[in-house]
Amino acid sequence: TAPWYPILFLPKKNSLSYAHHQKIEKNNKAFSLFFLPEKNFNNQEVENLLKNNQLIHYITLENKTSSDFLNSLKSRTRSYIKSGLKKFKFIKISYYDQFLKYEKSLHRILIEQHIKFLSPMPPLKLLKNLLINNLIYIHLAFENDLLVGFSTITKDKFLPHIFWILKSDRCKSNSLSLCLYYVCIEESIIRKAKLISLGTSISENVANFKEKLRAERGILFKYKLNSISSYQKLFFIKTGRNY
């Protein structure tokens, strides 16, 4: 998933019903991106759906405080987060000028991740553009004044979305990744968000890690609008976000 695609959450099958909408005209380039709880489907349906779609994790935050959320976790997970919040210093940046100060350190972490996991890494140019266009916050984590990790979260107050969390190979603490997620979750609670997306999960290990935070499983669907049989029935939803 990507921060420039607003994500829509549907709690139940066929639950898309809004009073205020604008009909979609022909748009061959547009995509729809939405997810439903995995529990809406039986085991066979889930298996089939995940062949062509993706597993996504999310947490319901409505009417929760940070203390409520933290106390809902298992004691071991809670201990890791509390010790990490004391061990690391966290700074939030939201402007391009702030980003420039840490650019070299961020680039180092991206390279370390790529070498360790042979995984694609987000280009710095993309992070810069997202900041310039006022779409994201970046949370930086420091250990003894060394930048050891960062997380990226959309500024959407309705459904914040964490789309990258990266940890330096120089940091050996098991609590850093949990803390980076927690800092984003805490911010989302302050925004009074009803839901937060923790992004897609490409392996069972990643899924199990996110479920330590009591994250629920969903199925993320991505379709080109003109490929959906009920295309003429689709519409844009008016929210506080851009269409």
Side-chain angles (χ1 to χ4, degrees), residues 119-135:
S119 59
M121 59 183 189
L124 282 179
K125 184 177 180 181
L126 176 57
L127 288 177
K128 291 177 187 178
N129 286 339
L130 292 172
L131 280 170
I132 290 168
N133 285 284
N134 201 33
L135 292 171

Side-chain angles (χ1 to χ4, degrees), residues 7 48 108 193:
I7 297 176
N48 291 332
R108 169 179 56 79

Side-chain angles (χ1 to χ4, degrees), residues 13 29 112 148 167 219 223:
K13 293 179 184 177
K29 295 181 180 179
E112 287 174 354
V148 291
K167 172 184 168 184
I219 297 178
Y223 289 108

Side-chain angles (χ1 to χ4, degrees), residues 172-208:
K172 306 304 179 185
S173 171
N174 292 325
S175 62
L176 178 56
S177 295
L178 281 170
C179 284
L180 283 167
Y181 276 109
Y182 177 75
V183 166
C184 292
I185 292 165
E186 187 176 44
E187 179 188 320
S188 301
I189 290 172
I190 292 170
R191 291 189 211 173
K192 299 190 181 302
K194 294 184 177 182
L195 208 73
I196 182 172
S197 159
L198 305 190
T200 54
S201 302
I202 58 174
S203 71
E204 200 58 37
N205 285 339
V206 173
N208 290 337

Side-chain angles (χ1 to χ4, degrees), residues 1-198:
T1 57
W4 47 91
Y5 285 142
I7 297 176
L8 180 66
F9 173 68
L10 306 180
K12 297 179 181 178
K13 293 179 184 177
N14 303 319
S15 63
L16 182 53
S17 177
Y18 286 84
H20 303 290
H21 63 271
Q22 175 182 325
K23 207 168 183 180
I24 291 180
E25 302 301 331
K26 289 184 178 179
N27 189 339
N28 294 335
K29 295 181 180 179
F31 282 87
S32 60
L33 209 105
F34 55 94
F35 68 95
L36 290 90
E38 188 186 73
K39 60 189 176 186
N40 279 345
F41 308 95
N42 61 42
N43 291 339
Q44 186 175 356
E45 287 175 323
V46 169
E47 185 178 348
N48 291 332
L49 286 169
L50 287 179
K51 290 177 182 176
N52 299 308
N53 302 289
Q54 289 182 287
L55 177 66
I56 189 169
H57 280 83
Y58 66 96
I59 300 173
T60 304
L61 300 176
E62 191 170 13
N63 298 323
K64 287 183 183 176
T65 65
S66 298
S67 296
D68 291 336
F69 173 75
L70 197 57
N71 291 332
S72 72
L73 304 177
K74 290 184 177 179
S75 59
R76 185 175 177 83
T77 303
R78 193 164 59 243
S79 296
Y80 271 125
I81 292 173
K82 287 182 176 180
S83 64
L85 292 175
K86 293 177 181 177
K87 182 181 180 67
F88 302 106
K89 178 183 177 183
F90 296 92
I91 294 176
K92 182 172 77 173
I93 62 175
S94 54
Y95 301 106
Y96 179 61
D97 290 346
Q98 296 171 299
F99 177 89
L100 292 176
K101 181 179 177 181
Y102 305 105
E103 184 173 358
K104 289 183 179 178
S105 298
L106 290 166
H107 191 225
R108 169 179 56 79
I109 293 175
L110 290 172
I111 291 172
E112 287 174 354
Q113 286 279 302
H114 176 66
I115 291 172
K116 184 174 182 179
F117 298 109
L118 297 178
S119 59
M121 59 183 189
L124 282 179
K125 184 177 180 181
L126 176 57
L127 288 177
K128 291 177 187 178
N129 286 339
L130 292 172
L131 280 170
I132 290 168
N133 285 284
N134 201 33
L135 292 171
I136 63 168
Y137 292 116
I138 301 178
H139 289 276
L140 307 177
F142 295 86
E143 183 179 18
N144 299 324
D145 296 325
L146 177 69
L147 182 63
V148 291
F150 70 93
S151 59
T152 48
I153 181 172
T154 60
K155 289 189 174 182
D156 191 332
K157 71 176 182 179
F158 295 98
L159 201 167
H161 174 53
I162 302 171
F163 57 100
W164 285 314
I165 285 197
L166 294 173
K167 172 184 168 184
S168 171
D169 202 35
R170 303 182 190 191
C171 179
K172 306 304 179 185
S173 171
N174 292 325
S175 62
L176 178 56
S177 295
L178 281 170
C179 284
L180 283 167
Y181 276 109
Y182 177 75
V183 166
C184 292
I185 292 165
E186 187 176 44
E187 179 188 320
S188 301
I189 290 172
I190 292 170
R191 291 189 211 173
K192 299 190 181 302
K194 294 184 177 182
L195 208 73
I196 182 172
S197 159
L198 305 190

